[in-house]
Amino acid sequence: MSTILFDKIVFGPIHSRRLGTSLGINLLPADGKLCSFNCVYCECGLNEEHRTHTHLPTRAEVREALELKLMAMKKEGTSPDVITFAGNGEPTVHPEFGGIIADTIATRDRFFPNAKIAVLSNATMLHREEVFRALNQIEDNILKLDSVLDRRIRQIDRPNDPSFCFDSLLRQLCRFDGNLIIQTMFLRGEVNGESIDNMTEEEITGWLDALRQIRPKQVMIYTIDRETPIKSLRKATHAELDAIANRAREAGFDVTVSY
């Protein structure tokens, strides 16, 4: 199985389907995966297959690595469209996440003030006020909403916390008062003998209702693009994604689709 793990704090820049030229920041250990979800489609693999044995990078280490990279890009005459927190798991689990975001904003403003800052998050740490405030300070606060059904969340996203549920997630997402981007992975398949499909009418109707309550400034929908740790998963078709996107657009949302 091909697994994508990042062995540096700052990596890239790479071309992102959704974000353009993206300079990545990994706040997790370099030797494995650390995440509050264990998604069946994760390109980093399953948590239990990539246990970490090293420490999280410190706030100072992240700041120094970013400064050095942006300085080098400045000399080369290249510029990022976005500085993206992603990497080997969930970035907001880092205990210094708020301070790191503050440092990144200041460093970005020094070198590439037109670059956006993005965080790809599964939204599990929004109860931490420091995380909530930090996400409100960046341009692309991208939060996961793969399903509105608890049973499907447990099938697809597989949260570590057994109390994690859609109702609490919805309340947290609504707190942003529209200052967020919702990202949803659509797929189908089979896991442990159970069918998975988050494109049923029940799912899409509930998803659209959730979007009306959340009022995101943008909605990103996508499907599997790389090898997944669970082999029985299947991509959504272009026609299926287009149909979902059109329904969301008809409801008044700005939607981007990545096939």
Side-chain angles (χ1 to χ4, degrees), residues 9-10 37 78 88-89 121 139 157 170 186 205 220:
I9 297 172
V10 177
F37 272 180
T78 59
N88 300 340
S121 172
E139 290 81 12
D157 299 322
L170 180 63
F186 287 108
T205 299
M220 294 178 172

Short mmCIF file of all heavy atoms in Angstrom, two decimals, residues 9-10 37 78 88-89 121 139 157 170 186 205 220:
data_model
loop_
_atom_site.label_atom_id
_atom_site.label_comp_id
_atom_site.label_asym_id
_atom_site.label_seq_id
_atom_site.Cartn_x
_atom_site.Cartn_y
_atom_site.Cartn_z
N ILE A 9 8.79 19.40 8.71
CA ILE A 9 7.77 20.32 9.22
C ILE A 9 7.15 21.10 8.07
O ILE A 9 5.92 21.22 7.99
CB ILE A 9 8.39 21.30 10.25
CG1 ILE A 9 8.91 20.53 11.47
CG2 ILE A 9 7.37 22.35 10.69
CD1 ILE A 9 9.70 21.39 12.45
N VAL A 10 7.98 21.63 7.19
CA VAL A 10 7.49 22.37 6.02
C VAL A 10 7.81 21.55 4.78
O VAL A 10 8.94 21.09 4.60
CB VAL A 10 8.15 23.76 5.94
CG1 VAL A 10 7.69 24.51 4.69
CG2 VAL A 10 7.81 24.58 7.19
N PHE A 37 -9.25 11.32 14.14
CA PHE A 37 -10.07 10.47 13.29
C PHE A 37 -9.19 9.32 12.78
O PHE A 37 -7.96 9.41 12.82
CB PHE A 37 -10.62 11.24 12.09
CG PHE A 37 -11.92 11.96 12.31
CD1 PHE A 37 -12.49 12.69 11.27
CD2 PHE A 37 -12.60 11.92 13.52
CE1 PHE A 37 -13.68 13.36 11.43
CE2 PHE A 37 -13.80 12.60 13.70
CZ PHE A 37 -14.34 13.31 12.65
N THR A 78 9.86 32.52 -6.34
CA THR A 78 8.62 31.75 -6.37
C THR A 78 7.76 32.13 -5.17
O THR A 78 8.29 32.50 -4.12
CB THR A 78 8.90 30.24 -6.35
OG1 THR A 78 9.63 29.92 -5.15
CG2 THR A 78 9.70 29.81 -7.56
N ASN A 88 0.60 14.87 8.71
CA ASN A 88 0.41 13.49 9.13
C ASN A 88 -0.69 13.34 10.18
O ASN A 88 -0.50 12.68 11.21
CB ASN A 88 1.72 12.92 9.68
CG ASN A 88 2.83 12.94 8.66
OD1 ASN A 88 2.58 13.02 7.46
ND2 ASN A 88 4.08 12.87 9.12
N GLY A 89 -1.84 13.94 9.94
CA GLY A 89 -2.94 13.82 10.88
C GLY A 89 -3.65 15.14 11.09
O GLY A 89 -3.70 15.99 10.21
N SER A 121 -8.89 20.68 8.61
CA SER A 121 -9.17 20.14 9.94
C SER A 121 -10.41 19.25 9.92
O SER A 121 -11.36 19.49 9.17
CB SER A 121 -9.39 21.29 10.93
OG SER A 121 -9.84 20.79 12.19
N GLU A 139 -7.57 32.86 6.51
CA GLU A 139 -8.43 33.05 5.34
C GLU A 139 -9.23 31.80 4.99
O GLU A 139 -10.41 31.89 4.64
CB GLU A 139 -7.57 33.45 4.12
CG GLU A 139 -6.97 34.83 4.19
CD GLU A 139 -5.71 34.90 5.02
OE1 GLU A 139 -5.15 33.84 5.39
OE2 GLU A 139 -5.27 36.03 5.33
N ASP A 157 -15.37 8.20 9.12
CA ASP A 157 -14.36 9.02 9.82
C ASP A 157 -13.78 8.32 11.04
O ASP A 157 -12.65 8.62 11.44
CB ASP A 157 -14.96 10.36 10.23
CG ASP A 157 -15.45 11.17 9.05
OD1 ASP A 157 -14.78 11.14 8.00
OD2 ASP A 157 -16.51 11.82 9.16
N LEU A 170 -22.30 20.02 14.58
CA LEU A 170 -23.09 21.08 13.96
C LEU A 170 -23.09 22.34 14.82
O LEU A 170 -22.94 23.46 14.31
CB LEU A 170 -24.51 20.59 13.72
CG LEU A 170 -25.47 21.60 13.08
CD1 LEU A 170 -25.01 21.99 11.69
CD2 LEU A 170 -26.89 21.03 13.03
N PHE A 186 -17.08 12.49 -0.74
CA PHE A 186 -18.15 11.58 -1.14
C PHE A 186 -17.55 10.31 -1.71
O PHE A 186 -16.62 10.36 -2.54
CB PHE A 186 -19.08 12.25 -2.16
CG PHE A 186 -19.96 13.31 -1.56
CD1 PHE A 186 -19.72 14.66 -1.81
CD2 PHE A 186 -21.01 12.97 -0.73
CE1 PHE A 186 -20.53 15.64 -1.25
CE2 PHE A 186 -21.82 13.94 -0.16
CZ PHE A 186 -21.58 15.28 -0.42
N THR A 205 -29.95 15.22 1.51
CA THR A 205 -30.97 16.12 2.06
C THR A 205 -30.52 16.66 3.42
O THR A 205 -30.63 17.86 3.71
CB THR A 205 -32.31 15.40 2.20
OG1 THR A 205 -32.75 14.97 0.91
CG2 THR A 205 -33.37 16.32 2.80
N MET A 220 -16.52 22.78 -0.43
CA MET A 220 -15.64 22.00 -1.28
C MET A 220 -16.09 20.55 -1.24
O MET A 220 -16.12 19.94 -0.16
CB MET A 220 -14.19 22.09 -0.79
CG MET A 220 -13.57 23.45 -0.88
SD MET A 220 -11.87 23.40 -0.20
CE MET A 220 -11.30 25.05 -0.65
#
